[in-house]
Amino acid sequence: MTKTNREQRREETFLEIKATARRLMAEHGTAGLTVRGIAKEMGMTPPALYRYYDRLDDLITALITENFHALADALESACAAATPGRTVDKLMAAALAYRRWALDNPVDFELIYGTPIPGYHAPQEITVPASARTLVVFVGLFVEALENRECMPPPPYDRVPPELRSHLEQIMRDGDPTGSAPLLALYLALVCWPQIHGLVMLELLEHIGPVVGDMEFFARSQFENMGRAIGFTI
Amino acid sequence: MTKTNREQRREETFLEIKATARRLMAEHGTAGLTVRGIAKEMGMTPPALYRYYDRLDDLITALITENFHALADALESACAAATPGRTVDKLMAAALAYRRWALDNPVDFELIYGTPIPGYHAPQEITVPASARTLVVFVGLFVEALENRECMPPPPYDRVPPELRSHLEQIMRDGDPTGSAPLLALYLALVCWPQIHGLVMLELLEHIGPVVGDMEFFARSQFENMGRAIGFTI
DNA sequence: CGTAAACAGTTTACACTGTAAACATTTCAT
DNA sequence: ATGAAATGTTTACAGTGTAAACTGTTTACG
């Protein structure tokens, strides 16, 4: 089944719209994301864009899901680049990649993890699955580390709190139908993620960097302390 | 020096503008923060507001600084309400108050710690001092805990990393001219803050709650684990 | 007290924003 | 080749922030 000219041009236009939107946002922040701005940049009239996205919100949603996937991809390739077998290296690489991606793509990160653009409401059935991939990367690392006995969590990280058990089991079932992965992996991922995220968020919005000074070092050391706390030997 | 009628009415109008802005934002999110909306609500014409704030940005700045102070006040009174002498209780109370304030005042929290409203740029010389108060509360707790030997940090939290030392010393000097407070207190505050913040931020924007289930419990347990890790006995 | 200045408000206007409706043109399938 | 579908433009409307000019009120001072 070969594509007709029109279908191909349509796909290209979709790509051009998103690319233009990204360029304008990189230059002027989320304030640069306007129908008229994108249209002018592309040599079109604003209403023409409505042939591609019914509302500006739909374009935002498309950008957001792409960003979630781009972040998850960055984490995965960082893990892949780490020493095979040394899962702790992968965890450090993933945490640092999370930070690096945020710092290198600040607006894209704000778009997914920051306050929603005023008036925008994310259709969760679309964004949530994409969003989940990030957490899945970390869960995967802990599955590997626990299996290989590379991570030996001391109390209180050696077992899932009973208060969370049943709900986490259900989440695990929905995501992984085989249900083979240890529940503790999900719990440990949920312990680590907020620590990484909080540091990155505060640094990105310049709340903590000026106080700490060397954020590069601080982030590294915090991630290492985190790894040690949950049972890795670094 | 008694206030003239006009001065008093002017002050009241300032208050009414901010109160109206807060009400509209609570109802419609940051998208509800419009000059015209506030004016209509107050029975004025939009340009009239410009007698009080030269730009909408200035009103936003006023709201932001008030929010920083309100959050810091909430932390302080939570500490004050905790068992005297039990600094660990104060730390837990402060962390939980941070979360509670964010959940109870989501838009206000987003305004200070979320992505800036598109097009808005914070004048840092105004917002930074107000922002600092939050961190100062935590630093104060660690000063107290270290002095009373209530907190006995194990490695690697028993000393300030040399890579951060000189910069933290300078920060400490600028904030506290006596320079008496132990540097380690600032370091421990910087270790804890991102952990608390990350959890709250992810919960507030609904990235982690649906996965965890019982966020109330999870936050509590995470804060306790954090306290133990840096040398408190809970 | 009377007057001039400062203040507080309205009216009008402009340059933006998203988007709906009507219409013209191009492209494709039959 | 013809009808339908897709893609664009034009025009329009209801929002947005805010600047300029103007009017009325309140205050401070000679």
Side-chain angles (χ1 to χ4, degrees):
Chain A
M1 181 59 186
T2 151
K3 281 171 201 158
T4 144
N5 276 358
R6 203 150 59 182
E7 275 172 340
Q8 188 171 336
R9 275 182 36 85
R10 184 171 178 83
E11 274 185 27
E12 287 169 7
T13 308
F14 266 107
L15 292 179
E16 193 185 347
I17 292 173
K18 289 186 283 190
T20 309
R22 286 186 188 287
R23 229 187 44 238
L24 290 174
M25 285 180 61
E27 284 174 29
H28 311 105
T30 50
L33 191 65
T34 71
V35 174
R36 297 178 125 89
I38 298 169
K40 171 176 274 184
E41 204 75 2
M42 293 177 63
M44 302 173 81
T45 57
L49 292 183
Y50 284 77
R51 297 282 169 198
Y52 296 87
Y53 294 98
D54 279 354
R55 289 175 302 281
L56 177 59
D57 277 22
D58 293 349
L59 169 56
I60 297 178
T61 300
L63 294 173
I64 286 179
T65 59
E66 284 190 7
N67 289 356
F68 274 124
H69 284 297
L71 172 59
D73 290 344
L75 299 192
E76 281 176 359
S77 56
C79 289
T83 333
R86 291 266 303 168
T87 311
V88 63
D89 288 349
K90 292 188 188 173
L91 177 61
M92 293 301 112
L96 291 171
Y98 193 97
R99 170 173 181 265
R100 187 92 317 252
W101 194 86
L103 298 182
D104 288 345
N105 311 277
V107 187
D108 302 281
F109 191 83
E110 288 172 16
L111 209 56
I112 59 180
Y113 282 127
T115 305
I117 288 178
Y120 172 78
H121 289 285
Q124 303 208 349
E125 68 279 9
I126 296 176
T127 56
V128 165
S131 157
R133 274 194 58 202
T134 299
L135 186 59
V136 167
V137 173
F138 286 104
V139 175
L141 289 182
F142 286 112
V143 168
E144 182 182 324
L146 292 172
E147 270 181 5
N148 302 352
R149 298 259 188 279
E150 292 181 77
C151 178
M152 311 273 291
Y157 299 118
D158 56 339
R159 58 192 195 90
V160 178
E163 289 88 348
L164 303 179
R165 180 155 209 100
S166 75
H167 190 263
L168 294 194
E169 272 171 352
Q170 188 188 325
I171 294 284
M172 214 47 156
R173 257 195 302 276
D174 294 351
D176 172 19
T178 75
S180 63
L183 208 57
L184 192 58
L186 174 55
Y187 176 66
L188 292 178
L190 288 172
V191 167
C192 289
W193 182 27
Q195 299 189 35
I196 301 166
H197 183 79
L199 199 64
V200 170
M201 205 76 214
L202 286 176
E203 179 181 7
L204 189 69
L205 300 183
E206 300 181 354
H207 292 294
I208 202 177
V211 182
V212 168
D214 187 347
M215 277 304 297
E216 179 78 34
F217 165 82
F218 186 62
R220 260 205 156 71
S221 77
Q222 284 311 102
F223 295 159
E224 286 173 6
N225 293 343
M226 178 189 76
R228 263 188 291 267
I230 58 175
F232 278 105
T233 43
I234 298 181
Chain B
M1 179 58 186
T2 152
K3 281 170 199 156
T4 143
N5 276 357
R6 199 146 64 176
E7 274 172 341
Q8 190 172 335
R9 275 182 38 83
R10 185 172 175 81
E11 274 186 27
E12 288 169 7
T13 308
F14 266 107
L15 293 179
E16 193 185 346
I17 292 173
K18 288 185 285 191
T20 309
R22 285 185 188 287
R23 230 190 42 240
L24 290 174
M25 285 179 62
E27 284 174 28
H28 311 106
T30 50
L33 190 65
T34 72
V35 173
R36 295 177 126 91
I38 299 169
K40 171 176 275 184
E41 203 76 2
M42 293 177 63
M44 301 173 81
T45 58
L49 292 182
Y50 284 78
R51 296 280 165 195
Y52 298 87
Y53 294 98
D54 279 356
R55 290 176 300 281
L56 176 61
D57 277 21
D58 293 349
L59 169 58
I60 298 177
T61 300
L63 294 173
I64 286 179
T65 60
E66 284 190 6
N67 288 357
F68 273 125
H69 285 297
L71 172 57
D73 289 345
L75 298 192
E76 281 173 0
S77 55
C79 289
T83 332
R86 291 266 304 170
T87 311
V88 62
D89 288 350
K90 293 188 188 173
L91 177 61
M92 291 304 112
L96 290 171
Y98 193 97
R99 170 173 181 266
R100 188 96 315 264
W101 193 86
L103 297 182
D104 288 345
N105 311 277
V107 188
D108 302 279
F109 191 84
E110 287 172 16
L111 208 56
I112 60 181
Y113 282 126
T115 304
I117 290 179
Y120 171 78
H121 289 284
Q124 304 207 348
E125 69 280 8
I126 295 176
T127 55
V128 166
S131 158
R133 275 194 57 202
T134 299
L135 186 58
V136 166
V137 173
F138 286 104
V139 175
L141 289 181
F142 286 112
V143 169
E144 182 182 324
L146 292 172
E147 269 179 6
N148 301 352
R149 298 259 187 281
E150 293 181 76
C151 178
M152 312 274 291
Y157 299 119
D158 56 339
R159 58 191 195 90
V160 178
E163 289 87 346
L164 303 179
R165 181 156 206 98
S166 75
H167 189 263
L168 293 194
E169 273 171 351
Q170 188 188 325
I171 294 284
M172 215 45 156
R173 258 195 301 276
D174 294 351
D176 172 18
T178 74
S180 63
L183 208 58
L184 192 58
L186 175 56
Y187 176 64
L188 292 179
L190 288 172
V191 167
C192 288
W193 183 26
Q195 299 189 34
I196 301 166
H197 183 80
L199 198 63
V200 170
M201 205 77 214
L202 285 176
E203 179 182 8
L204 189 69
L205 300 183
E206 301 180 353
H207 292 295
I208 201 176
V211 182
V212 168
D214 187 346
M215 275 304 297
E216 180 78 35
F217 166 83
F218 186 62
R220 260 205 156 72
S221 79
Q222 283 310 102
F223 295 159
E224 286 172 8
N225 293 344
M226 176 188 76
R228 263 188 290 268
I230 58 174
F232 278 104
T233 44
I234 298 182

